[in-house]
Amino acid sequence: MSNSSYRVEVIQYYDEVLAQSARNYAFTSDKKWEKIYRETEPISDRLLKDAIKKEGAANKDFFSKMYATNQKLVKMEHAVIDFVNDSKPKYAIDLLDSEKYIQQRKILTGGLEEFVKHCKKESDSPIVSRPVKEIIELERRLAILEKQLKEEKFIAIGHLASRMAHDLRNPLSIISMSLENLKEMYEVDDIKQKLFDKIERSIDRITHQVDEVLDFVRERPLTLDKTKMTEIISESLDTLNIPKNIKLILPKNDVELICDKKQLVIALDNLILNSIQAIEGKGMVSLSINEKNDSIIIEIEDSGSGIPKDKVDDIFEPLFTTKQQGTGLGLASVKSIIEAHRGSISVTSPPTIFMIELPKNQIISSK
């Protein structure tokens, strides 16, 4: 095998690693694939630059073309990674399946393959290609299997949690009605009122956790209609008990959008409650609405102590929680609702700021 042929086989190896890492990251959102991509990309770049310098004049134009094509692919793959990091995996997958990306990939992979065929003698056997392809294919299958196992696990948990949540609703209703009857039957003094308030808070907490489970496991199609953000915020606040020690700052402006109002109310309800629970003692929760081209930006900020840096990346994962009494499904449900609206949600901390980006206009199906 000639040096040129071997060099191209090594370039092929790293190119396949890059392509598969970007695709695996788009489909699984597993950070290990982003890490592999970012570690591999400089090596691939250096190999192509070295080939331009070290190959003879006859091959220089070929490697220059391959380098230019690789740069275009890398730019698109970086965009794929950014989409996933912005909680927009669908956009990432769409880009990888786009004609533009596929065309550039054909130019690079096809060019490298033709070069190897041209350089090799019939007696030569590939040194890198076959083992590399087997390894990459194995990695791809493992990534898909890992995703399937994770989904199957959550489906099983979802069915169990749904049954338990439904079973809890009836006893909660009975307890709540019995409490109201007790208030009417007996004269309520300050001591009794404190006990009743304590029971009510406990009922509210369990009810909210039941609702979190049901919101997560239900599969409901979007019912899109035109509405105002202030109406969504108002309805979210109607279901919440804002403590006296929390100052709530609401937006003064308003924006119209097309969305499923009920589902966005659930999402905002979860986020505002999450902000309230993050504050110890006195504090502030602030909501803002801004417009950006064809999108709406909603921010919910709180004055709590913030989310630990090592927990930020996991905050939207199902069953992950930093609270002793949390289900770990509230923020996962929020993310699911926002993504169903072709939007994205992200968080920075400290201070903790949840940022939602939603498209203003969506297609309303005829009823």
Side-chain angles (χ1 to χ4, degrees):
M1 176 180 286
S2 68
N3 288 337
S4 296
S5 180
Y6 179 76
R7 179 177 284 119
V8 171
E9 288 230 41
V10 175
I11 292 170
Q12 280 181 305
Y13 163 65
Y14 285 106
D15 172 59
E16 290 195 46
V17 171
L18 288 176
Q20 198 60 56
S21 298
R23 185 163 288 275
N24 286 350
Y25 191 46
F27 277 94
T28 67
S29 300
D30 190 328
K31 282 286 184 183
K32 75 178 180 183
W33 295 112
E34 181 187 7
K35 185 172 182 286
I36 291 170
Y37 185 94
R38 296 198 184 280
E39 288 174 350
T40 305
E41 194 268 317
I43 301 170
S44 175
D45 185 79
R46 188 174 65 249
L47 285 167
L48 282 163
K49 284 180 178 177
D50 287 347
I52 294 169
K53 288 179 183 177
K54 294 177 181 177
E55 288 291 329
N59 294 331
K60 189 172 182 179
D61 287 345
F62 167 77
F63 283 108
S64 295
K65 181 183 178 182
M66 293 297 100
Y67 180 77
T69 304
N70 184 65
Q71 288 294 97
K72 292 175 185 176
L73 286 167
V74 165
K75 186 177 180 180
M76 285 188 276
E77 286 160 357
H78 280 181
V80 165
I81 291 170
D82 290 339
F83 278 136
V84 178
N85 290 340
D86 289 340
S87 302
K88 298 178 180 178
K90 185 180 182 302
Y91 292 174
I93 294 165
D94 287 347
L95 178 52
L96 290 173
D97 290 338
S98 69
E99 188 177 338
K100 183 180 178 183
Y101 180 81
I102 292 169
Q103 185 61 34
Q104 293 301 317
R105 182 134 296 287
K106 282 180 180 177
I107 292 170
L108 183 62
T109 56
L112 295 174
E113 285 173 10
E114 285 300 317
F115 186 91
V116 172
K117 287 178 184 177
H118 180 73
C119 289
K120 282 183 180 182
K121 294 178 182 178
E122 291 183 4
S123 59
D124 283 338
S125 59
I127 294 175
V128 181
S129 296
R130 186 174 176 183
V132 165
K133 287 178 180 176
E134 288 175 356
I135 291 168
I136 291 172
E137 178 61 18
L138 179 61
E139 286 278 17
R140 188 185 69 81
R141 289 181 180 179
L142 286 172
I144 293 170
L145 179 61
E146 185 179 5
K147 185 171 182 283
Q148 287 174 341
L149 289 171
K150 193 175 182 181
E151 287 174 350
E152 287 171 7
K153 176 185 174 184
F154 286 134
I155 288 169
I157 292 170
H159 287 318
L160 175 63
S162 180
R163 285 200 301 271
M164 289 179 67
H166 281 294
D167 290 345
L168 282 170
R169 273 195 179 281
N170 286 337
L172 280 173
S173 298
I174 293 168
I175 293 168
S176 185
M177 287 189 292
S178 299
L179 182 63
E180 293 303 316
N181 290 335
L182 285 171
K183 287 180 183 179
E184 292 179 7
M185 288 171 63
Y186 300 99
E187 187 177 336
V188 178
D189 54 26
D190 289 344
I191 295 173
K192 287 191 181 77
Q193 187 61 51
K194 284 181 180 178
L195 291 171
F196 287 146
D197 289 345
K198 191 174 182 181
I199 295 169
E200 281 184 340
R201 285 196 299 272
S202 298
I203 293 170
D204 288 344
R205 189 175 72 242
I206 298 169
T207 301
H208 180 77
Q209 290 181 344
V210 168
D211 289 341
E212 274 191 349
V213 171
L214 292 175
D215 288 339
F216 180 74
V217 299
R218 283 175 186 148
E219 289 186 10
R220 291 175 295 191
L222 295 181
T223 303
L224 299 176
D225 213 341
K226 189 176 285 187
T227 190
K228 293 181 178 180
M229 268 309 305
T230 51
E231 292 177 7
I232 294 170
I233 293 170
S234 178
E235 288 192 24
S236 297
L237 296 176
D238 284 345
T239 63
L240 294 173
N241 179 23
I242 310 296
K244 292 179 181 178
N245 60 309
I246 303 294
K247 182 181 179 182
L248 190 63
I249 301 172
L250 299 177
K252 295 179 180 178
N253 60 321
D254 200 1
V255 176
E256 271 196 345
L257 74 160
I258 294 171
C259 66
D260 186 315
K261 187 178 180 181
K262 288 183 179 179
Q263 293 206 35
L264 281 191
V265 166
I266 291 169
L268 276 189
D269 177 87
N270 267 294
L271 290 171
I272 296 168
L273 181 63
N274 195 75
S275 294
I276 291 169
Q277 292 175 342
I279 298 170
E280 295 179 8
K282 289 185 178 181
M284 173 274 296
V285 175
S286 172
L287 280 76
S288 67
I289 309 168
N290 293 293
E291 295 181 69
K292 178 185 171 186
N293 300 323
D294 293 327
S295 298
I296 297 167
I297 308 296
I298 306 154
E299 291 189 348
I300 300 101
E301 178 179 353
D302 67 66
S303 60
S305 57
I307 305 166
K309 287 183 179 179
D310 61 331
K311 308 293 184 188
V312 170
D313 289 341
D314 300 319
I315 204 75
F316 295 107
E317 287 295 314
L319 305 181
F320 178 85
T321 182
T322 56
K323 306 171 193 172
Q324 288 185 345
Q325 297 172 338
T327 62
L329 295 175
L331 290 178
S333 179
V334 171
K335 185 172 184 283
S336 177
I337 290 169
I338 300 303
E339 288 182 350
H341 282 81
R342 295 191 297 113
S344 65
I345 182 168
S346 58
V347 62
T348 56
S349 188
T352 301
I353 303 173
F354 285 93
M355 187 182 83
I356 297 169
E357 184 172 351
L358 290 170
K360 284 186 196 174
N361 301 310
Q362 305 202 50
I363 298 171
I364 303 178
S365 59
S366 58
K367 296 178 183 179

